[in-house]
Amino acid sequence: RADFGKPIYINSGYRSPEHNKKVGGAVNSYHVKGQAADIRPRHGKDFEAELRRLKIIANRRCKGGVGFYPSFVHVDLGPERRWNG
């Protein structure tokens, strides 16, 4: 948030195992452990540019997992890894 300089919205944080299965989450999802969040910038005219900037910041600052998706960034406290979803 400090690096981004604007509010960051959380699409998904903790998920129960039932909800995680319902939304197609990974079996060993860090969401179920309370160690992950799917984040995004505010929706608006600059959404795509701000999402790109958020992806760069997450990639640089997050020591765990970072997944890049068309409308959000997944961050977690697992081992360091990167992927596109």
Side-chain angles (χ1 to χ4, degrees):
R1 165 68 167 85
D3 287 356
F4 191 61
K6 296 180 180 183
I8 295 173
Y9 296 83
I10 300 171
N11 289 343
S12 181
Y14 171 77
R15 296 180 192 154
S16 69
E18 297 79 19
H19 182 69
N20 190 61
K21 185 175 182 179
K22 182 178 176 182
V23 300
V27 174
N28 294 321
S29 172
Y30 281 90
H31 284 282
V32 175
K33 300 174 185 179
Q35 298 178 347
D38 296 337
I39 60 175
R40 65 168 176 82
R42 180 174 184 243
H43 286 295
K45 64 181 176 102
D46 296 328
F47 179 79
E48 290 176 4
E50 290 190 348
L51 181 63
R52 282 191 299 273
R53 194 164 66 87
L54 186 59
K55 287 177 178 181
I56 291 167
I57 292 168
N59 188 48
R60 183 178 69 231
R61 300 280 290 172
C62 184
K63 301 300 181 202
V66 180
F68 306 108
Y69 293 84
S71 62
F72 66 92
V73 179
H74 169 96
V75 293
D76 68 47
L77 299 177
E80 187 169 342
R81 62 213 189 285
R82 301 295 185 263
W83 69 92
N84 291 306

